[in-house]
Amino acid sequence: MDTLLAGVTPAATALADHGWVGPGPWILLFPLFWIAVVLLVVLVLRRTFRGRCWAGRPDAPLAVLGRRYAEGTIDAEEYRARRAVLTEDPRERRGGAE
């Protein structure tokens, strides 16, 4: 045994004498921990910003307007007028009012 460990530091020989062979299977817990942290952050951010966007919601103003036009409760002229109001740039509206 002394010839095998001749060029090894005393700390390494002390660990080898006590049967230490490496980090063991618990080292897999570190990547799992970080994966869990990343998933938690993603879930919190998705829940936080979910209600702030109108784009994908079925009750978005343009979706409601399109549904009302498809059902026949408003005619084409009213549909176009309301759609123009909903899709105009708010900066243009503020600039024209002053």
Side-chain angles (χ1 to χ4, degrees):
M1 177 107 176
D2 291 333
T3 58
L4 292 175
L5 299 174
V8 181
T9 63
T13 56
L15 291 173
D17 288 341
H18 294 290
W20 188 78
V21 292
W26 59 270
I27 198 163
L28 296 175
L29 293 178
F30 289 113
L32 293 176
F33 170 76
W34 287 112
I35 289 170
V37 167
V38 169
L39 287 175
L40 183 66
V41 167
V42 168
L43 288 174
V44 167
L45 289 176
R46 285 186 65 185
R47 284 186 171 255
T48 302
F49 295 110
R50 181 182 300 178
R52 297 188 183 187
C53 181
W54 286 93
R57 296 178 57 178
D59 59 342
L62 286 175
V64 171
L65 183 64
R67 187 172 54 247
R68 288 183 63 200
Y69 179 64
E71 292 170 352
T73 57
I74 59 174
D75 62 349
E77 184 179 329
E78 186 177 357
Y79 171 77
R80 285 189 204 104
R82 290 182 182 216
R83 188 174 189 337
V85 170
L86 289 174
T87 58
E88 75 181 358
D89 189 9
R91 290 174 287 185
E92 291 176 11
R93 192 175 353 157
R94 275 190 238 132
E98 292 177 2

